[in-house]
Amino acid sequence: MQYLAGYMFPKNPIANTALTLYGHMPMQQAVLFLADFKLGHYMKIPPQSMFLVQVILCSCVPPIVDRSGWR
């Protein structure tokens, strides 16, 4: 995907970084999200509960990490 961005926007590293940010990272997060759902399925946890916990944690954890300075 980065090769395509480099070809479409030559000599523009910001465009390449933006494409990586908006293309690759959401896909990676989706794969990890589905891996958690698969584990929850094996443990017989209802999908609605899994989704609710994922949404709550995705909204609560980033401010905590940002304030703690732990990266």
Side-chain angles (χ1 to χ4, degrees):
M1 183 170 259
Q2 289 181 346
Y3 289 121
L4 180 63
Y7 181 73
M8 288 171 47
F9 308 108
K11 298 180 183 175
N12 191 354
I14 305 271
N16 195 355
T17 304
L19 188 81
T20 301
L21 176 68
Y22 295 116
H24 175 71
M25 296 307 284
M27 184 64 68
Q28 183 180 3
Q29 289 294 325
V31 168
L32 292 173
F33 186 71
L34 289 175
D36 289 344
F37 263 87
K38 184 176 180 181
L39 183 62
H41 178 70
Y42 290 154
M43 296 174 65
K44 298 187 178 178
I45 299 173
Q48 293 87 358
S49 300
M50 288 288 295
F51 182 75
L52 183 64
V53 169
Q54 286 278 349
V55 168
I56 290 170
L57 289 178
C58 286
S59 61
C60 291
V61 171
I64 294 169
V65 171
D66 190 40
R67 287 189 182 102
S68 70
W70 182 60
R71 297 182 199 263

Short mmCIF file of all heavy atoms in Angstrom, two decimals:
data_model
loop_
_atom_site.label_atom_id
_atom_site.label_comp_id
_atom_site.label_asym_id
_atom_site.label_seq_id
_atom_site.Cartn_x
_atom_site.Cartn_y
_atom_site.Cartn_z
N MET A 1 0.81 -1.17 0.00
CA MET A 1 0.00 0.00 0.00
C MET A 1 0.87 1.26 0.00
O MET A 1 0.54 2.24 -0.63
CB MET A 1 -0.93 -0.03 1.20
CG MET A 1 -1.87 1.14 1.22
SD MET A 1 -3.14 0.99 2.42
CE MET A 1 -4.51 0.48 1.49
N GLN A 2 1.98 1.21 0.71
CA GLN A 2 2.87 2.37 0.73
C GLN A 2 3.53 2.58 -0.62
O GLN A 2 3.83 3.71 -0.98
CB GLN A 2 3.90 2.22 1.83
CG GLN A 2 3.31 2.36 3.21
CD GLN A 2 4.35 2.22 4.30
OE1 GLN A 2 5.46 1.78 4.06
NE2 GLN A 2 3.97 2.59 5.50
N TYR A 3 3.76 1.50 -1.33
CA TYR A 3 4.32 1.66 -2.67
C TYR A 3 3.36 2.43 -3.57
O TYR A 3 3.76 3.28 -4.35
CB TYR A 3 4.63 0.29 -3.30
CG TYR A 3 5.80 -0.41 -2.67
CD1 TYR A 3 5.64 -1.66 -2.09
CD2 TYR A 3 7.05 0.17 -2.66
CE1 TYR A 3 6.70 -2.31 -1.51
CE2 TYR A 3 8.12 -0.47 -2.08
CZ TYR A 3 7.95 -1.71 -1.51
OH TYR A 3 9.01 -2.34 -0.94
N LEU A 4 2.09 2.11 -3.45
CA LEU A 4 1.08 2.79 -4.23
C LEU A 4 1.03 4.28 -3.88
O LEU A 4 0.95 5.13 -4.77
CB LEU A 4 -0.29 2.14 -4.00
CG LEU A 4 -1.47 2.72 -4.75
CD1 LEU A 4 -1.27 2.56 -6.25
CD2 LEU A 4 -2.75 2.06 -4.31
N ALA A 5 1.09 4.60 -2.60
CA ALA A 5 1.09 6.01 -2.18
C ALA A 5 2.34 6.73 -2.67
O ALA A 5 2.27 7.88 -3.09
CB ALA A 5 0.99 6.11 -0.67
N GLY A 6 3.46 6.06 -2.63
CA GLY A 6 4.69 6.67 -3.13
C GLY A 6 4.64 6.93 -4.62
O GLY A 6 5.20 7.91 -5.11
N TYR A 7 3.97 6.06 -5.34
CA TYR A 7 3.84 6.26 -6.78
C TYR A 7 2.82 7.35 -7.10
O TYR A 7 3.02 8.15 -8.00
CB TYR A 7 3.41 4.93 -7.44
CG TYR A 7 3.26 5.02 -8.93
CD1 TYR A 7 4.38 5.10 -9.75
CD2 TYR A 7 2.01 5.02 -9.52
CE1 TYR A 7 4.25 5.17 -11.12
CE2 TYR A 7 1.87 5.09 -10.89
CZ TYR A 7 3.00 5.17 -11.69
OH TYR A 7 2.86 5.26 -13.05
N MET A 8 1.72 7.39 -6.33
CA MET A 8 0.69 8.39 -6.59
C MET A 8 1.12 9.80 -6.17
O MET A 8 0.77 10.78 -6.81
CB MET A 8 -0.60 8.02 -5.85
CG MET A 8 -1.31 6.83 -6.43
SD MET A 8 -2.69 6.20 -5.45
CE MET A 8 -3.58 7.65 -5.04
N PHE A 9 1.87 9.89 -5.07
CA PHE A 9 2.30 11.19 -4.54
C PHE A 9 3.82 11.20 -4.40
O PHE A 9 4.35 11.10 -3.30
CB PHE A 9 1.66 11.45 -3.18
CG PHE A 9 0.18 11.29 -3.17
CD1 PHE A 9 -0.42 10.21 -2.54
CD2 PHE A 9 -0.63 12.24 -3.78
CE1 PHE A 9 -1.79 10.07 -2.52
CE2 PHE A 9 -2.01 12.10 -3.76
CZ PHE A 9 -2.59 11.01 -3.13
N PRO A 10 4.54 11.33 -5.52
CA PRO A 10 6.00 11.30 -5.43
C PRO A 10 6.54 12.50 -4.65
O PRO A 10 6.02 13.60 -4.72
CB PRO A 10 6.45 11.33 -6.88
CG PRO A 10 5.32 11.89 -7.64
CD PRO A 10 4.09 11.55 -6.87
N LYS A 11 7.59 12.22 -3.87
CA LYS A 11 8.28 13.24 -3.08
C LYS A 11 7.35 13.95 -2.09
O LYS A 11 7.49 15.14 -1.84
CB LYS A 11 8.97 14.25 -3.98
CG LYS A 11 10.03 13.62 -4.85
CD LYS A 11 10.71 14.64 -5.73
CE LYS A 11 11.70 13.91 -6.61
NZ LYS A 11 12.33 14.79 -7.57
N ASN A 12 6.38 13.21 -1.58
CA ASN A 12 5.47 13.77 -0.59
C ASN A 12 5.33 12.77 0.57
O ASN A 12 4.41 11.95 0.59
CB ASN A 12 4.11 14.06 -1.22
CG ASN A 12 3.22 14.87 -0.31
OD1 ASN A 12 3.56 15.14 0.83
ND2 ASN A 12 2.08 15.26 -0.82
N PRO A 13 6.24 12.83 1.55
CA PRO A 13 6.21 11.84 2.64
C PRO A 13 4.97 11.98 3.53
O PRO A 13 4.54 11.02 4.14
CB PRO A 13 7.49 12.11 3.42
CG PRO A 13 7.86 13.50 3.08
CD PRO A 13 7.36 13.75 1.69
N ILE A 14 4.40 13.18 3.60
CA ILE A 14 3.22 13.37 4.43
C ILE A 14 2.05 12.55 3.88
O ILE A 14 1.29 11.94 4.64
CB ILE A 14 2.82 14.86 4.49
CG1 ILE A 14 3.99 15.69 4.95
CG2 ILE A 14 1.57 15.07 5.32
CD1 ILE A 14 4.15 15.89 6.40
N ALA A 15 1.89 12.52 2.56
CA ALA A 15 0.81 11.74 1.96
C ALA A 15 1.02 10.25 2.22
O ALA A 15 0.06 9.53 2.50
CB ALA A 15 0.74 12.01 0.46
N ASN A 16 2.26 9.80 2.16
CA ASN A 16 2.55 8.39 2.42
C ASN A 16 2.23 8.04 3.87
O ASN A 16 1.63 7.01 4.16
CB ASN A 16 4.02 8.12 2.11
CG ASN A 16 4.31 6.64 2.00
OD1 ASN A 16 3.46 5.82 2.25
ND2 ASN A 16 5.53 6.33 1.64
N THR A 17 2.59 8.92 4.78
CA THR A 17 2.31 8.69 6.19
C THR A 17 0.80 8.72 6.45
O THR A 17 0.28 7.91 7.22
CB THR A 17 3.02 9.75 7.05
OG1 THR A 17 4.41 9.72 6.76
CG2 THR A 17 2.81 9.49 8.52
N ALA A 18 0.10 9.65 5.82
CA ALA A 18 -1.35 9.74 6.00
C ALA A 18 -2.05 8.48 5.48
O ALA A 18 -2.99 7.98 6.10
CB ALA A 18 -1.90 10.98 5.31
N LEU A 19 -1.60 7.99 4.34
CA LEU A 19 -2.20 6.77 3.80
C LEU A 19 -1.95 5.59 4.73
O LEU A 19 -2.84 4.77 4.94
CB LEU A 19 -1.65 6.47 2.41
CG LEU A 19 -2.38 5.34 1.72
CD1 LEU A 19 -3.66 5.86 1.10
CD2 LEU A 19 -1.52 4.69 0.68
N THR A 20 -0.77 5.53 5.32
CA THR A 20 -0.48 4.47 6.27
C THR A 20 -1.37 4.61 7.50
O THR A 20 -1.92 3.63 8.00
CB THR A 20 1.00 4.52 6.70
OG1 THR A 20 1.81 4.37 5.55
CG2 THR A 20 1.33 3.42 7.68
N LEU A 21 -1.51 5.84 7.97
CA LEU A 21 -2.31 6.09 9.16
C LEU A 21 -3.77 5.71 8.95
O LEU A 21 -4.39 5.06 9.79
CB LEU A 21 -2.22 7.57 9.55
CG LEU A 21 -3.06 8.02 10.74
CD1 LEU A 21 -2.54 7.40 12.02
CD2 LEU A 21 -3.04 9.52 10.84
N TYR A 22 -4.35 6.10 7.83
CA TYR A 22 -5.77 5.87 7.59
C TYR A 22 -6.07 4.57 6.86
O TYR A 22 -7.23 4.20 6.72
CB TYR A 22 -6.37 7.04 6.81
CG TYR A 22 -6.35 8.32 7.61
CD1 TYR A 22 -5.60 9.41 7.19
CD2 TYR A 22 -7.06 8.43 8.79
CE1 TYR A 22 -5.57 10.59 7.92
CE2 TYR A 22 -7.04 9.59 9.53
CZ TYR A 22 -6.29 10.66 9.09
OH TYR A 22 -6.26 11.80 9.83
N GLY A 23 -5.06 3.88 6.38
CA GLY A 23 -5.28 2.63 5.66
C GLY A 23 -4.84 1.40 6.43
O GLY A 23 -5.61 0.47 6.66
N HIS A 24 -3.59 1.39 6.86
CA HIS A 24 -3.02 0.20 7.50
C HIS A 24 -3.46 0.06 8.95
O HIS A 24 -3.83 -1.04 9.38
CB HIS A 24 -1.50 0.26 7.41
CG HIS A 24 -0.81 -0.85 8.13
ND1 HIS A 24 -0.84 -2.14 7.68
CD2 HIS A 24 -0.11 -0.87 9.29
CE1 HIS A 24 -0.17 -2.91 8.52
NE2 HIS A 24 0.27 -2.15 9.51
N MET A 25 -3.43 1.13 9.71
CA MET A 25 -3.72 1.04 11.14
C MET A 25 -5.16 0.60 11.43
O MET A 25 -5.36 -0.25 12.29
CB MET A 25 -3.38 2.36 11.84
CG MET A 25 -1.91 2.71 11.78
SD MET A 25 -0.84 1.39 12.39
CE MET A 25 -1.09 1.57 14.13
N PRO A 26 -6.18 1.14 10.73
CA PRO A 26 -7.53 0.62 11.00
C PRO A 26 -7.68 -0.86 10.66
O PRO A 26 -8.38 -1.59 11.36
CB PRO A 26 -8.43 1.47 10.10
CG PRO A 26 -7.69 2.73 9.91
CD PRO A 26 -6.25 2.33 9.88
N MET A 27 -6.99 -1.31 9.62
CA MET A 27 -7.05 -2.73 9.26
C MET A 27 -6.40 -3.57 10.36
O MET A 27 -6.93 -4.63 10.74
CB MET A 27 -6.35 -2.95 7.93
CG MET A 27 -6.44 -4.37 7.44
SD MET A 27 -8.12 -4.89 7.07
CE MET A 27 -8.50 -3.88 5.68
N GLN A 28 -5.29 -3.11 10.88
CA GLN A 28 -4.63 -3.84 11.95
C GLN A 28 -5.51 -3.87 13.21
O GLN A 28 -5.63 -4.92 13.86
CB GLN A 28 -3.29 -3.19 12.27
CG GLN A 28 -2.49 -3.91 13.32
CD GLN A 28 -1.16 -3.23 13.58
OE1 GLN A 28 -0.86 -2.18 13.03
NE2 GLN A 28 -0.38 -3.81 14.45
N GLN A 29 -6.13 -2.77 13.54
CA GLN A 29 -7.02 -2.73 14.70
C GLN A 29 -8.23 -3.66 14.49
O GLN A 29 -8.68 -4.30 15.44
CB GLN A 29 -7.50 -1.30 14.95
CG GLN A 29 -6.42 -0.39 15.46
CD GLN A 29 -5.94 -0.77 16.84
OE1 GLN A 29 -6.70 -1.23 17.67
NE2 GLN A 29 -4.66 -0.60 17.08
N ALA A 30 -8.74 -3.72 13.28
CA ALA A 30 -9.88 -4.60 12.99
C ALA A 30 -9.50 -6.07 13.17
O ALA A 30 -10.28 -6.87 13.70
CB ALA A 30 -10.41 -4.35 11.59
N VAL A 31 -8.30 -6.43 12.73
CA VAL A 31 -7.85 -7.82 12.88
C VAL A 31 -7.71 -8.17 14.35
O VAL A 31 -8.12 -9.26 14.79
CB VAL A 31 -6.53 -8.03 12.11
CG1 VAL A 31 -5.88 -9.35 12.48
CG2 VAL A 31 -6.77 -7.95 10.62
N LEU A 32 -7.15 -7.27 15.15
CA LEU A 32 -7.03 -7.53 16.58
C LEU A 32 -8.40 -7.59 17.26
O LEU A 32 -8.63 -8.39 18.16
CB LEU A 32 -6.16 -6.45 17.23
CG LEU A 32 -4.69 -6.46 16.83
CD1 LEU A 32 -3.97 -5.25 17.40
CD2 LEU A 32 -4.02 -7.74 17.26
N PHE A 33 -9.31 -6.73 16.82
CA PHE A 33 -10.68 -6.72 17.35
C PHE A 33 -11.35 -8.06 17.07
O PHE A 33 -11.99 -8.65 17.96
CB PHE A 33 -11.43 -5.57 16.68
CG PHE A 33 -12.80 -5.32 17.20
CD1 PHE A 33 -12.99 -4.77 18.46
CD2 PHE A 33 -13.92 -5.60 16.43
CE1 PHE A 33 -14.26 -4.52 18.94
CE2 PHE A 33 -15.19 -5.35 16.90
CZ PHE A 33 -15.36 -4.81 18.17
N LEU A 34 -11.19 -8.58 15.86
CA LEU A 34 -11.80 -9.86 15.52
C LEU A 34 -11.13 -11.02 16.26
O LEU A 34 -11.79 -12.01 16.58
CB LEU A 34 -11.76 -10.08 14.02
CG LEU A 34 -12.70 -9.17 13.23
CD1 LEU A 34 -12.50 -9.37 11.74
CD2 LEU A 34 -14.14 -9.42 13.61
N ALA A 35 -9.84 -10.90 16.53
CA ALA A 35 -9.17 -11.94 17.30
C ALA A 35 -9.73 -12.00 18.72
O ALA A 35 -9.92 -13.09 19.27
CB ALA A 35 -7.67 -11.67 17.34
N ASP A 36 -10.04 -10.83 19.29
CA ASP A 36 -10.67 -10.81 20.61
C ASP A 36 -12.06 -11.43 20.56
O ASP A 36 -12.46 -12.16 21.47
CB ASP A 36 -10.76 -9.38 21.14
CG ASP A 36 -9.42 -8.80 21.52
OD1 ASP A 36 -8.47 -9.59 21.67
OD2 ASP A 36 -9.32 -7.57 21.64
N PHE A 37 -12.80 -11.16 19.49
CA PHE A 37 -14.13 -11.75 19.36
C PHE A 37 -14.05 -13.27 19.22
O PHE A 37 -14.89 -13.99 19.75
CB PHE A 37 -14.85 -11.15 18.15
CG PHE A 37 -15.77 -10.03 18.51
CD1 PHE A 37 -15.32 -8.74 18.58
CD2 PHE A 37 -17.10 -10.28 18.78
CE1 PHE A 37 -16.16 -7.71 18.92
CE2 PHE A 37 -17.96 -9.27 19.13
CZ PHE A 37 -17.48 -7.98 19.20
N LYS A 38 -13.03 -13.74 18.54
CA LYS A 38 -12.86 -15.18 18.37
C LYS A 38 -12.57 -15.83 19.73
O LYS A 38 -13.14 -16.88 20.05
CB LYS A 38 -11.72 -15.44 17.39
CG LYS A 38 -11.51 -16.89 17.06
CD LYS A 38 -10.43 -17.03 16.00
CE LYS A 38 -10.19 -18.46 15.63
NZ LYS A 38 -9.12 -18.59 14.64
N LEU A 39 -11.73 -15.21 20.50
CA LEU A 39 -11.43 -15.73 21.84
C LEU A 39 -12.69 -15.72 22.71
O LEU A 39 -12.96 -16.68 23.44
CB LEU A 39 -10.33 -14.89 22.49
CG LEU A 39 -9.85 -15.34 23.85
CD1 LEU A 39 -9.26 -16.73 23.78
CD2 LEU A 39 -8.85 -14.35 24.39
N GLY A 40 -13.47 -14.64 22.63
CA GLY A 40 -14.72 -14.58 23.37
C GLY A 40 -15.71 -15.64 22.93
O GLY A 40 -16.45 -16.19 23.74
N HIS A 41 -15.72 -15.94 21.64
CA HIS A 41 -16.60 -17.01 21.13
C HIS A 41 -16.20 -18.36 21.70
O HIS A 41 -17.07 -19.15 22.09
CB HIS A 41 -16.53 -17.02 19.60
CG HIS A 41 -17.36 -18.09 18.97
ND1 HIS A 41 -18.74 -18.05 18.96
CD2 HIS A 41 -17.00 -19.24 18.35
CE1 HIS A 41 -19.19 -19.13 18.35
NE2 HIS A 41 -18.15 -19.86 17.96
N TYR A 42 -14.89 -18.61 21.76
CA TYR A 42 -14.42 -19.88 22.33
C TYR A 42 -14.77 -19.99 23.81
O TYR A 42 -15.01 -21.07 24.33
CB TYR A 42 -12.92 -20.03 22.16
CG TYR A 42 -12.47 -20.26 20.74
CD1 TYR A 42 -11.19 -19.91 20.34
CD2 TYR A 42 -13.30 -20.84 19.80
CE1 TYR A 42 -10.76 -20.10 19.04
CE2 TYR A 42 -12.88 -21.05 18.50
CZ TYR A 42 -11.61 -20.68 18.14
OH TYR A 42 -11.19 -20.89 16.86
N MET A 43 -14.81 -18.83 24.49
CA MET A 43 -15.11 -18.82 25.93
C MET A 43 -16.62 -18.71 26.20
O MET A 43 -17.03 -18.60 27.34
CB MET A 43 -14.37 -17.68 26.61
CG MET A 43 -12.88 -17.83 26.55
SD MET A 43 -12.01 -16.42 27.21
CE MET A 43 -12.49 -16.48 28.90
N LYS A 44 -17.42 -18.69 25.12
CA LYS A 44 -18.89 -18.62 25.19
C LYS A 44 -19.38 -17.34 25.87
O LYS A 44 -20.33 -17.35 26.66
CB LYS A 44 -19.46 -19.84 25.87
CG LYS A 44 -19.14 -21.10 25.11
CD LYS A 44 -19.83 -22.29 25.67
CE LYS A 44 -19.46 -23.39 24.81
NZ LYS A 44 -19.59 -24.55 24.66
N ILE A 45 -18.73 -16.22 25.55
CA ILE A 45 -19.17 -14.91 26.02
C ILE A 45 -20.06 -14.32 24.94
O ILE A 45 -19.72 -14.37 23.76
CB ILE A 45 -17.95 -13.99 26.28
CG1 ILE A 45 -17.06 -14.60 27.35
CG2 ILE A 45 -18.40 -12.60 26.67
CD1 ILE A 45 -15.76 -13.87 27.56
N PRO A 46 -21.21 -13.78 25.30
CA PRO A 46 -22.13 -13.24 24.28
C PRO A 46 -21.47 -12.11 23.47
O PRO A 46 -20.75 -11.29 24.02
CB PRO A 46 -23.30 -12.69 25.09
CG PRO A 46 -23.22 -13.36 26.41
CD PRO A 46 -21.79 -13.69 26.64
N PRO A 47 -21.73 -12.07 22.16
CA PRO A 47 -21.10 -11.04 21.32
C PRO A 47 -21.46 -9.62 21.72
O PRO A 47 -20.64 -8.72 21.61
CB PRO A 47 -21.62 -11.35 19.92
CG PRO A 47 -22.10 -12.74 19.95
CD PRO A 47 -22.48 -13.02 21.35
N GLN A 48 -22.69 -9.41 22.21
CA GLN A 48 -23.08 -8.07 22.62
C GLN A 48 -22.23 -7.59 23.79
O GLN A 48 -21.81 -6.43 23.83
CB GLN A 48 -24.57 -8.02 23.02
CG GLN A 48 -25.51 -8.25 21.88
CD GLN A 48 -25.79 -9.73 21.65
OE1 GLN A 48 -25.26 -10.61 22.33
NE2 GLN A 48 -26.62 -10.01 20.66
N SER A 49 -21.95 -8.47 24.73
CA SER A 49 -21.10 -8.12 25.87
C SER A 49 -19.68 -7.84 25.43
O SER A 49 -19.04 -6.89 25.91
CB SER A 49 -21.10 -9.25 26.90
OG SER A 49 -22.38 -9.49 27.37
N MET A 50 -19.18 -8.65 24.52
CA MET A 50 -17.81 -8.43 24.01
C MET A 50 -17.71 -7.08 23.33
O MET A 50 -16.75 -6.33 23.54
CB MET A 50 -17.43 -9.53 23.02
CG MET A 50 -17.16 -10.87 23.64
SD MET A 50 -15.64 -10.92 24.56
CE MET A 50 -14.46 -10.67 23.26
N PHE A 51 -18.69 -6.76 22.51
CA PHE A 51 -18.67 -5.50 21.79
C PHE A 51 -18.75 -4.32 22.76
O PHE A 51 -18.01 -3.34 22.62
CB PHE A 51 -19.82 -5.43 20.78
CG PHE A 51 -19.83 -4.18 19.98
CD1 PHE A 51 -18.94 -3.99 18.96
CD2 PHE A 51 -20.74 -3.17 20.27
CE1 PHE A 51 -18.93 -2.83 18.22
CE2 PHE A 51 -20.75 -2.01 19.54
CZ PHE A 51 -19.84 -1.83 18.51
N LEU A 52 -19.63 -4.41 23.74
CA LEU A 52 -19.78 -3.33 24.71
C LEU A 52 -18.48 -3.10 25.48
O LEU A 52 -18.04 -1.95 25.65
CB LEU A 52 -20.93 -3.65 25.67
CG LEU A 52 -21.25 -2.59 26.70
CD1 LEU A 52 -21.72 -1.31 26.01
CD2 LEU A 52 -22.29 -3.10 27.66
N VAL A 53 -17.85 -4.15 25.91
CA VAL A 53 -16.59 -4.02 26.65
C VAL A 53 -15.50 -3.44 25.76
O VAL A 53 -14.72 -2.57 26.19
CB VAL A 53 -16.16 -5.38 27.25
CG1 VAL A 53 -14.74 -5.34 27.78
CG2 VAL A 53 -17.12 -5.79 28.34
N GLN A 54 -15.42 -3.87 24.50
CA GLN A 54 -14.43 -3.33 23.58
C GLN A 54 -14.63 -1.84 23.37
O GLN A 54 -13.68 -1.07 23.38
CB GLN A 54 -14.52 -4.05 22.22
CG GLN A 54 -13.98 -5.44 22.22
CD GLN A 54 -12.48 -5.50 22.08
OE1 GLN A 54 -11.85 -4.50 21.78
NE2 GLN A 54 -11.93 -6.66 22.31
N VAL A 55 -15.87 -1.41 23.19
CA VAL A 55 -16.16 0.02 22.97
C VAL A 55 -15.82 0.83 24.21
O VAL A 55 -15.20 1.90 24.12
CB VAL A 55 -17.64 0.21 22.56
CG1 VAL A 55 -18.03 1.67 22.60
CG2 VAL A 55 -17.87 -0.36 21.17
N ILE A 56 -16.19 0.34 25.37
CA ILE A 56 -15.89 1.07 26.61
C ILE A 56 -14.39 1.19 26.81
O ILE A 56 -13.88 2.27 27.12
CB ILE A 56 -16.57 0.37 27.81
CG1 ILE A 56 -18.08 0.55 27.73
CG2 ILE A 56 -16.04 0.93 29.13
CD1 ILE A 56 -18.85 -0.27 28.73
N LEU A 57 -13.67 0.10 26.62
CA LEU A 57 -12.22 0.15 26.84
C LEU A 57 -11.52 1.00 25.79
O LEU A 57 -10.54 1.68 26.10
CB LEU A 57 -11.64 -1.27 26.86
CG LEU A 57 -12.00 -2.08 28.10
CD1 LEU A 57 -11.43 -3.47 28.00
CD2 LEU A 57 -11.51 -1.39 29.35
N CYS A 58 -12.00 0.96 24.55
CA CYS A 58 -11.39 1.79 23.51
C CYS A 58 -11.59 3.27 23.77
O CYS A 58 -10.83 4.10 23.28
CB CYS A 58 -11.94 1.42 22.13
SG CYS A 58 -11.30 -0.12 21.52
N SER A 59 -12.62 3.62 24.53
CA SER A 59 -12.83 5.03 24.84
C SER A 59 -12.23 5.44 26.18
O SER A 59 -11.96 6.62 26.38
CB SER A 59 -14.33 5.34 24.82
OG SER A 59 -14.99 4.58 25.80
N CYS A 60 -11.98 4.50 27.08
CA CYS A 60 -11.45 4.84 28.40
C CYS A 60 -9.93 4.77 28.49
O CYS A 60 -9.31 5.56 29.20
CB CYS A 60 -12.03 3.90 29.44
SG CYS A 60 -13.77 4.13 29.74
N VAL A 61 -9.31 3.84 27.80
CA VAL A 61 -7.88 3.61 27.95
C VAL A 61 -7.01 4.72 27.34
O VAL A 61 -6.03 5.12 27.98
CB VAL A 61 -7.50 2.22 27.40
CG1 VAL A 61 -6.01 2.03 27.33
CG2 VAL A 61 -8.12 1.15 28.27
N PRO A 62 -7.29 5.25 26.15
CA PRO A 62 -6.37 6.25 25.59
C PRO A 62 -6.12 7.48 26.47
O PRO A 62 -4.96 7.90 26.59
CB PRO A 62 -7.03 6.64 24.26
CG PRO A 62 -7.78 5.43 23.87
CD PRO A 62 -8.28 4.85 25.16
N PRO A 63 -7.13 8.07 27.12
CA PRO A 63 -6.80 9.20 28.01
C PRO A 63 -5.92 8.79 29.19
O PRO A 63 -5.06 9.56 29.61
CB PRO A 63 -8.17 9.67 28.51
CG PRO A 63 -9.15 9.14 27.57
CD PRO A 63 -8.58 7.90 27.00
N ILE A 64 -6.10 7.58 29.70
CA ILE A 64 -5.27 7.12 30.81
C ILE A 64 -3.83 6.96 30.37
O ILE A 64 -2.90 7.39 31.05
CB ILE A 64 -5.83 5.80 31.38
CG1 ILE A 64 -7.20 6.04 32.00
CG2 ILE A 64 -4.87 5.19 32.40
CD1 ILE A 64 -7.96 4.78 32.35
N VAL A 65 -3.64 6.36 29.21
CA VAL A 65 -2.28 6.18 28.68
C VAL A 65 -1.65 7.53 28.37
O VAL A 65 -0.47 7.76 28.64
CB VAL A 65 -2.31 5.27 27.43
CG1 VAL A 65 -0.96 5.24 26.75
CG2 VAL A 65 -2.73 3.87 27.81
N ASP A 66 -2.45 8.44 27.84
CA ASP A 66 -1.94 9.77 27.51
C ASP A 66 -1.50 10.52 28.76
O ASP A 66 -0.47 11.19 28.77
CB ASP A 66 -3.00 10.55 26.75
CG ASP A 66 -2.47 11.84 26.16
OD1 ASP A 66 -1.33 11.80 25.65
OD2 ASP A 66 -3.18 12.85 26.22
N ARG A 67 -2.27 10.44 29.82
CA ARG A 67 -1.94 11.15 31.06
C ARG A 67 -0.77 10.51 31.79
O ARG A 67 -0.01 11.19 32.48
CB ARG A 67 -3.15 11.21 31.97
CG ARG A 67 -4.19 12.16 31.49
CD ARG A 67 -5.28 12.38 32.50
NE ARG A 67 -6.29 13.27 31.95
CZ ARG A 67 -7.45 12.89 31.47
NH1 ARG A 67 -7.76 11.61 31.46
NH2 ARG A 67 -8.30 13.76 31.01
N SER A 68 -0.63 9.20 31.67
CA SER A 68 0.45 8.52 32.41
C SER A 68 1.79 8.68 31.72
O SER A 68 2.83 8.52 32.34
CB SER A 68 0.11 7.04 32.57
OG SER A 68 0.18 6.39 31.32
N GLY A 69 1.79 8.96 30.43
CA GLY A 69 3.05 9.10 29.69
C GLY A 69 3.71 7.77 29.38
O GLY A 69 4.85 7.72 28.95
N TRP A 70 3.00 6.68 29.58
CA TRP A 70 3.54 5.36 29.29
C TRP A 70 3.23 4.98 27.86
O TRP A 70 2.09 4.89 27.47
CB TRP A 70 2.93 4.35 30.26
CG TRP A 70 3.45 2.98 30.09
CD1 TRP A 70 4.74 2.57 30.21
CD2 TRP A 70 2.70 1.81 29.78
NE1 TRP A 70 4.83 1.23 29.99
CE2 TRP A 70 3.59 0.73 29.71
CE3 TRP A 70 1.36 1.57 29.53
CZ2 TRP A 70 3.20 -0.55 29.43
CZ3 TRP A 70 0.97 0.28 29.25
CH2 TRP A 70 1.87 -0.76 29.21
N ARG A 71 4.27 4.77 27.08
CA ARG A 71 4.06 4.44 25.67
C ARG A 71 4.93 3.28 25.29
O ARG A 71 6.02 3.13 25.54
CB ARG A 71 4.36 5.61 24.76
CG ARG A 71 3.41 6.73 25.06
CD ARG A 71 3.64 7.90 24.14
NE ARG A 71 3.07 9.09 24.69
CZ ARG A 71 1.88 9.56 24.37
NH1 ARG A 71 1.16 8.96 23.50
NH2 ARG A 71 1.44 10.63 24.93
#
